[in-house]
Amino acid sequence: MSLEFLFFAFIEIVTFVLIYFLMRTKEKLSESNSKYAALKKQYEQFISVDEYKASIEQELLRIQKESQDHLESNRQEIAQLKKESEDQLSTNRTKLVQETQRLFDERNKTLSDIENQKNESIHSKEQRISTLNQEMDELSTKYNQARTLLSSLLKEVSLFQDEVETNSFGIYSPHFEFDTSEEYKDKLIEIRKESKVLISSGDAVDANFGWTVNGSKAEGKKQTNQYIKLMLRAFNGECEAMVADTRWNNITKMEERMKSVYEAINKLGTVHEISIRSQYLTLKLQELQLTFEYENKKHEEQEEQRKLRDQIREEEKAQREYEKAMKDAADEQKQYQQALNQARKEMEKAQGEELTKLQKNIADLAEKLEEAQNQQQRAISMAQQTKAGNVYVISNVGSFGENVYKIGMTRRLNPQERVNELGDASVPFTFDVHAMIRSDNAPELESYFHNQLDKKRLNLINTRKEFFTVTLREIEELTKRRGMTIEFTKLAEAREFRESIEKRKEFGAPKSEPVKNDLDKFPVNL
């Protein structure tokens, strides 16, 4: 682009010079013509026409010669300028090419230096990154090893801690299926006898009796037997302590702890080539499991007895209500009958308005007497029908949350009394009634609901707790399957609970921090 620009600039300069000289030539010709005209006018009166013509021709020749000379001079000058311009252009072109080449070389050198520096920097940084990655991998490996060790240590420590940690509970699966606690007790005695037989027969441990002490095999065997007794005493002592400390919330931990103690004691016996057999460990684990399940079964039987006692108390209370209702109805019936008889005697003597008044009074007394008789009959009927009662569906949003319902039954004449008893001081809020279903066989209807919703129990362990995580729509569907049309109260009033929420908003609810264990303080990966 620079060479083309210089070339066109040169052409423009040459053109400008030619135009300039042509204009000068034209000016001189104009001057010559002016002089010729002036001379012609000056000498016109003195010379003849021929002379004048000759002079003019001579002057024209002179002017022509001067013009030609001047034009030739201009041409030579233009040629000289053209040659100088071409020489200058060639020189400038050469310099331009040289300068361009120099700049190009410098650019290439600069780019090369930058590329070299860049490559050196990249290489250096890649080496640094590689070194850092290697160090990071080593640190990560050490961290994971340390975290694994911490987890293992925390687990071992937890085996010997008595604190209740709900997040570490294991789900215990029963190993025995006996119907009564006595069967568990008999099996436990049997297991303990098997353990004693293994110890007495020497089959509880594996040992090398080939040791000698001071060259004596008898002393070596004696020392080995002493170590066997020591190891078994230590293991049995730990197992007995664990069996005694076993509770519902640590059974799985105790199983792991017993296995850990078994491994630790066997490691101590490695030097003397003595180890407790896994068969003996199995018997001790069974003893632990049987003890736990035996206590559980006793608890279940106690719960059953408590349920029966509660049922008996409820029946007795209902019976007392029936008897009281029958007595009250009989007393009312007797009272109304006496009043009715007295009114009829008085009516025989009454006349006029007094007679009309007595007739109306007799009709009222007869109606009340009939109502008392019906009430007595209902009480008698209820007392005779030992299965008649009410199945209630109630909720306590403030205590148990939404969609948690208690489904139970009562045989009382006023079922609301039973609901009020349930909402006593044991829960912070009273219960709301969603449905009260009258049935001639209330226990059977209650069992129907419980069986259908068995997997939705809030307490899946203790079936005496009659709370279910379910919606009212599902309960309604169950009633429809039985061919019953029951009106349910959809919305729980929960007045005290809802007013407490509004009150708490005024105070400002405290924020609770999540509980973290020691291992959670360290991330799984760096």
Side-chain angles (χ1 to χ4, degrees):
M1 292 297 290
S2 299
L3 293 176
E4 290 178 359
F5 174 74
L6 292 173
F7 176 73
F8 284 115
F10 170 72
I11 296 300
E12 288 180 0
I13 292 170
V14 171
T15 305
F16 177 75
V17 170
L18 289 174
I19 293 172
Y20 171 75
F21 280 112
L22 287 173
M23 290 178 67
R24 289 293 303 275
T25 302
K26 184 177 179 181
E27 288 176 0
K28 287 185 178 183
L29 285 174
S30 178
E31 289 177 1
S32 298
N33 288 332
S34 298
K35 289 179 180 179
Y36 173 73
L39 288 172
K40 181 179 178 181
K41 185 177 180 180
Q42 183 178 1
Y43 296 105
E44 194 174 33
Q45 54 185 339
F46 304 105
I47 61 175
S48 63
V49 174
D50 292 335
E51 290 176 352
Y52 179 71
K53 181 180 179 181
S55 65
I56 289 174
E57 288 177 353
Q58 187 176 0
E59 184 67 22
L60 287 173
L61 289 173
R62 186 186 64 78
I63 290 170
Q64 184 178 6
K65 185 175 180 305
E66 287 180 0
S67 298
Q68 287 177 351
D69 292 341
H70 188 67
L71 182 61
E72 183 63 28
S73 175
N74 288 340
R75 284 177 179 170
Q76 290 177 358
E77 188 175 352
I78 288 171
Q80 182 64 27
L81 287 172
K82 182 179 180 183
K83 185 175 180 304
E84 289 177 359
S85 298
E86 288 177 350
D87 292 342
Q88 185 67 33
L89 182 62
S90 176
T91 301
N92 291 337
R93 184 185 292 115
T94 302
K95 288 182 178 179
L96 181 62
V97 170
Q98 290 175 351
E99 183 67 17
T100 303
Q101 185 63 39
R102 185 185 68 79
L103 291 173
F104 185 74
D105 292 342
E106 287 183 359
R107 172 183 170 276
N108 287 340
K109 185 175 182 304
T110 302
L111 289 175
S112 177
D113 292 342
I114 292 173
E115 187 68 24
N116 291 335
Q117 291 177 0
K118 179 182 174 184
N119 290 336
E120 289 177 2
S121 176
I122 291 174
H123 182 66
S124 174
K125 289 180 178 178
E126 285 179 348
Q127 288 182 334
R128 179 62 178 162
I129 289 172
S130 177
T131 303
L132 290 174
N133 284 335
Q134 187 175 357
E135 292 177 358
M136 185 65 184
D137 291 340
E138 292 176 358
L139 286 173
S140 181
T141 301
K142 290 180 180 178
Y143 174 81
N144 290 333
Q145 291 173 349
R147 194 176 187 280
T148 303
L149 178 61
L150 175 63
S151 176
S152 176
L153 291 174
L154 288 174
K155 185 177 180 182
E156 289 189 17
V157 168
S158 70
L159 294 178
F160 297 91
Q161 288 179 336
D162 294 330
E163 291 86 2
V164 176
E165 299 177 359
T166 55
N167 59 348
S168 64
F169 290 165
I171 298 176
Y172 179 78
S173 298
H175 296 76
F176 304 92
E177 295 181 358
F178 297 127
D179 296 327
T180 64
S181 59
E182 285 299 318
E183 292 181 274
Y184 280 98
K185 185 177 179 180
D186 293 341
K187 183 64 176 177
L188 188 58
I189 294 171
E190 181 184 334
I191 291 292
R192 286 172 177 166
K193 285 181 180 179
E194 289 182 22
S195 299
K196 290 179 181 178
V197 169
L198 280 180
I199 292 173
S200 61
S201 64
D203 294 330
V205 296
D206 286 321
N208 181 7
F209 289 96
W211 293 90
T212 59
V213 176
N214 296 325
S216 171
K217 286 189 176 182
E219 288 296 323
K221 184 176 181 181
K222 181 180 177 181
Q223 189 178 70
T224 300
N225 285 327
Q226 288 176 346
Y227 272 105
I228 290 173
K229 290 179 181 179
L230 182 63
M231 288 176 63
L232 284 175
R233 184 169 294 178
F235 182 63
N236 288 335
E238 290 285 348
C239 291
E240 287 174 6
M242 283 182 267
V243 169
D245 291 340
T246 300
R247 299 185 299 277
W248 66 270
N249 56 11
N250 68 355
I251 175 62
T252 54
K253 185 185 289 187
M254 287 300 181
E255 288 177 331
E256 294 177 10
R257 181 174 169 182
M258 185 174 288
K259 293 174 184 176
S260 177
V261 168
Y262 168 78
E263 293 173 358
I265 291 177
N266 274 348
K267 283 182 181 179
L268 295 175
T270 304
V271 175
H272 296 84
E273 297 182 9
I274 302 172
S275 62
I276 300 173
R277 288 182 177 177
S278 59
Q279 182 182 358
Y280 191 74
L281 170 65
T282 301
L283 287 175
K284 285 298 177 182
L285 284 171
Q286 288 179 350
E287 182 180 348
L288 177 71
Q289 294 155 358
L290 272 168
T291 302
F292 172 73
E293 293 181 28
Y294 170 58
E295 295 298 328
N296 265 2
K297 178 57 74 172
K298 285 200 300 183
H299 177 71
E300 288 176 8
E301 290 174 349
Q302 289 170 358
E303 287 295 315
E304 284 294 326
Q305 291 297 321
R306 187 178 293 112
K307 183 178 180 180
L308 288 173
R309 288 196 298 271
D310 290 344
Q311 187 175 349
I312 291 170
R313 278 198 298 269
E314 183 70 14
E315 291 290 336
E316 289 175 349
K317 190 176 288 186
Q319 189 63 35
R320 286 196 296 271
E321 286 185 2
Y322 299 147
E323 291 174 355
K324 184 177 181 301
M326 286 188 290
K327 184 177 181 301
D328 292 343
D331 291 342
E332 286 183 2
Q333 184 179 353
K334 183 178 179 181
Q335 181 182 350
Y336 292 141
Q337 187 65 53
Q338 289 176 350
L340 183 60
N341 292 337
Q342 182 64 29
R344 284 173 178 169
K345 287 180 181 179
E346 292 177 358
M347 188 179 67
E348 292 176 355
K349 300 177 182 179
Q351 295 179 357
E353 291 182 2
E354 188 180 355
L355 179 62
T356 304
K357 185 178 178 180
L358 285 172
Q359 288 176 342
K360 184 179 180 182
N361 189 23
I362 289 172
D364 291 339
L365 288 172
E367 184 178 349
K368 289 179 180 180
L369 178 60
E370 184 180 359
E371 184 179 348
Q373 289 173 343
N374 291 337
Q375 186 175 350
Q376 184 183 24
Q377 190 60 39
R378 282 197 302 272
I380 294 171
S381 177
M382 286 288 292
Q384 292 174 345
Q385 296 177 13
T386 57
K387 294 184 179 181
N390 291 279
V391 174
Y392 52 81
V393 179
I394 58 178
S395 71
N396 194 322
V397 177
S399 302
F400 307 106
E402 298 284 352
N403 292 330
V404 176
Y405 298 93
K406 177 175 174 62
I407 303 175
M409 65 148 286
T410 179
R411 293 188 61 247
R412 300 198 192 171
L413 288 174
N414 185 3
Q416 185 63 42
E417 290 182 1
R418 176 57 179 162
V419 176
N420 294 339
E421 287 179 3
L422 293 171
D424 60 7
S426 60
V427 289
F429 303 101
T430 57
F431 282 89
D432 291 295
V433 179
H434 294 272
M436 192 67 71
I437 307 171
R438 178 70 185 170
S439 174
D440 293 334
N441 193 342
E444 190 273 335
L445 180 59
E446 181 193 38
S447 296
Y448 165 73
F449 284 117
H450 289 183
N451 293 334
Q452 292 294 319
L453 301 173
D454 188 59
K455 293 182 180 179
K456 297 189 176 184
R457 288 181 180 273
L458 196 62
N459 186 336
L460 293 170
I461 306 302
N462 189 348
T463 57
R464 289 185 64 248
K465 307 299 182 181
E466 303 167 331
F467 291 90
F468 302 87
T469 304
V470 68
T471 63
L472 274 179
R473 182 180 294 275
E474 292 177 84
I475 300 174
E476 281 187 279
E477 288 296 324
L478 292 177
T479 59
K480 289 178 181 178
R481 291 182 197 173
R482 296 275 295 192
M484 297 183 292
T485 303
I486 306 297
E487 183 177 350
F488 281 79
T489 302
K490 305 291 184 183
L491 181 64
E493 183 181 15
R495 177 179 174 179
E496 292 179 354
F497 169 64
R498 301 188 196 283
E499 289 180 353
S500 297
I501 290 177
E502 296 302 320
K503 199 73 173 176
R504 192 172 290 109
K505 287 179 181 177
E506 297 177 9
F507 300 150
K511 295 181 179 179
S512 59
E513 294 292 332
V515 179
K516 293 184 178 181
N517 59 37
D518 293 334
L519 193 61
D520 289 337
K521 297 176 183 176
F522 304 95
V524 177
N525 296 307
L526 287 176

